[in-house]
Structures are given as C-alpha cells and as structure tokens.
Amino acid sequence: MENNILSVENLTVSFDGFKAVNDLSLSIEHNELRVIIGPNGAGKTTLLDIICGKTKPSSGKVLFGGTDLTSKAEHQIVRLGVARKFQTPSTYEDLSVFENFEISIPRGKGVLGSLFFRRDKAVTERVTDIANEVFLYDALHTKAGRLSHGQKQWLEIGMMLIQEPELLLLDEPVAGMSPREREKTAVLLRKISLGNSLIVIEHDMEFVKSIAKKVTVMHQGSLLCDGSIDEVQRNERVIEVYLGA
Ligand code: ADP
Ligand code: MG
C-alpha cells in the first residue's frame, strides 16, 4: 500500500502574479498528524484551499490516494474523503448540536447515509458517539448559537468526523479557545490521528508542542523546513522569520 495519503507536488498558485504558494512539495502519511506553522501570509490557508478544491492552482499536483484533486470540484473532494474546517466556525446556529450532526451525515454514503435522515436508532447512536468524542454530549440539545466559541469549534470537528473522512484539514482550530479547551482539543486531535490523517495549521506554539510529531514551516509560499518540533525550533531560518518575532 502507498504509504502517503497525500502528496503535494510542485504546487504553485498566483494571484495576479503574486505567488501565494510557490513550488511547494510535501507528503502526509496515513494516520499522520502534521502541523503547519509559519508567519501570516505564508500561504498556509491557501494550501488548504487548494487541497479542498476551493482554489485552483496555477501548476502542480495534489495526489490523494492516486487521484489528482486539482481537477476535482469541492463536493467531489469531500466525497473522496477530505474534510475541511475553516478558520471561523460555520455551524447552523438555529439548530441544536444534535441536528447539526444529523445534517452532516453524508447522503447515500454508508449505512447511515442511506437512512435518509430518519432519526432512528443508528443515527442517534452515531450522533451520540460523536458528541461524546468532541465533549458535547451534555450540549446535544443546545442550539449551536448558544455554544461557547470553543464548543462551536468542537461541533465543527464533530461535523467533519461524522462524514468519516480519511484526511481532515483544520485551520487554526484552537484560536480563541481557553487553555483548558486547548488541552482537550489536543487530546481530541491525537485521538483522531489514531485512525485518520490530519493537517493542522496553528500559531499557538504551546499547542503545537502538545500535538506535533512532525512540523512543516512555510514562508512566502514555500517550504522553509520540516522536522520534529525540536529541530524546527532550533532552525536558524525559522527563528529569524517566525519564532524570533
Ligand atoms: P496564511 O494562511 O499563511 O496566513 P494565506 O494563505 O491566507 O496565508 O495568504 C497567503 C498570501 O496570499 C497573502 O499575501 C494573501 O493576501 C494572499 N491571498 C490569499 N488569498 C488570496 C486571493 N483569493 N486573492 C489574492 N490574494 C490572496
Ligand atoms: Mg491563514
């Protein structure tokens, strides 16, 4: 079996001649939790936009299990097993936590999808399991609009998990969270990585240390370096352009 779930090859995207991502190559292994760091404007969010099909690159490939995602539409990429969480939570504020999970069950996919949203036992069990996993069991019948910022982030992670993706893309998931919420999120992401691959963009170095095995540093659309958290923290270029600031 191919060891990499995702291979980004020589990826470039220009916005009016400005290369937000510039000849970037990287690979993510199965069940890897990769953290991407780098200064503002480094191209981190743009990279996730390209992987999930929101932005089309000028050149290069994004191979996911042998399929080049750059020729696919966003909904096709979701169906292939890539789930994306944006920087700001996008949940349905007027619906309960339960209902938010319920509508995230992909139609026609697997046993749950074929039930057409009937609120029967299988759906309830699945939603309850996910709610437990993302610390929202006690809030199942609370409207999403009433959740704390951190709880909304967890809700959105749960809404990704219920789609049973193979690769999860998370853009600054702990921004605005309390220290306790960050700790719980670190536990959650490590647990998710036992059975899924994740790419997590994050600024908070304490949080990065608590989850990262391998860190990729981006700068000006390119790869500055990658390695263990210790290697990256010792790297002089990284200190110069990012950590030292
Ligand atoms: P990061 O997430 O690392 O902070 P981004 O990927 O958001 O960086 O942005 C990288 C660069 O690309 C920034 O200079 C940003 O202004 C620019 N950029 C991002 N998206 C667009 C767009 N749709 N049009 C023009 N410029 C963009
Ligand atoms: Mg960003």
Side-chain angles (χ1 to χ4, degrees), residues 8-225:
V8 170
E9 296 180 359
N10 305 106
L11 201 63
T12 297
V13 62
S14 311
F15 297 118
D16 300 322
F18 170 75
K19 288 179 178 173
V21 172
N22 189 0
D23 198 26
L24 182 73
S25 298
L26 57 88
S27 302
I28 311 293
E29 291 181 12
H30 286 275
N31 298 349
E32 178 175 355
L33 197 175
R34 175 73 59 90
V35 179
I36 300 182
I37 62 173
N40 275 328
K44 306 180 298 295
T45 297
T46 304
L47 171 64
L48 296 197
D49 286 345
I50 298 169
I51 296 172
C52 78
K54 187 167 173 265
T55 298
K56 293 296 166 198
S58 319
S59 58
K61 285 183 186 168
V62 177
L63 295 173
F64 177 73
T67 305
D68 187 0
L69 299 183
T70 61
S71 62
K72 304 282 178 198
E74 275 181 89
H75 69 274
Q76 293 174 310
I77 294 172
V78 171
R79 276 182 174 261
L80 285 167
V82 180
R84 164 80 182 271
K85 199 189 114 26
F86 290 91
Q87 252 164 296
T88 40
S90 51
T91 54
Y92 299 92
E93 304 260 298
D94 291 334
L95 299 183
S96 69
V97 167
F98 189 105
E99 290 162 336
N100 267 279
F101 285 140
E102 195 179 29
I103 58 169
S104 304
I105 296 172
R107 280 172 191 267
K109 186 182 163 191
V111 181
L112 288 179
S114 63
L115 297 173
F116 290 109
F117 292 65
R118 270 170 45 221
R119 203 178 275 200
D120 58 17
K121 204 159 157 273
V123 170
T124 304
E125 277 176 9
R126 179 80 180 124
V127 168
T128 307
D129 284 350
I130 294 283
N132 256 320
E133 193 167 352
V134 299
F135 322 113
L136 289 175
Y137 181 76
D138 293 336
L140 261 178
H141 301 292
T142 304
K143 281 203 176 14
R146 297 185 54 92
L147 298 176
S148 73
H149 175 78
Q151 287 176 314
K152 278 185 200 168
Q153 303 273 3
W154 292 336
L155 173 58
E156 222 183 337
I157 293 172
M159 289 166 72
M160 298 167 83
L161 289 175
I162 211 159
Q163 300 168 34
E164 300 183 358
E166 287 178 53
L167 173 66
L168 291 87
L169 310 173
L170 295 118
D171 203 346
E172 303 191 21
V174 300
M177 281 190 179
S178 69
R180 177 77 189 120
E181 287 174 333
R182 283 167 197 235
E183 277 171 35
K184 289 172 80 170
T185 305
V187 172
L188 173 62
L189 297 189
R190 281 199 302 261
K191 190 171 164 204
I192 293 171
S193 75
L194 298 176
N196 300 83
S197 309
L198 297 101
I199 301 178
V200 181
I201 294 175
E202 197 41 69
H203 278 293
D204 183 290
M205 285 308 285
E206 283 306 310
F207 182 76
V208 172
K209 276 184 228 168
S210 72
I211 60 169
K213 293 197 181 73
K214 188 169 175 187
V215 180
T216 292
V217 188
M218 282 183 70
H219 178 53
Q220 295 177 344
S222 301
L223 189 134
L224 187 65
C225 83

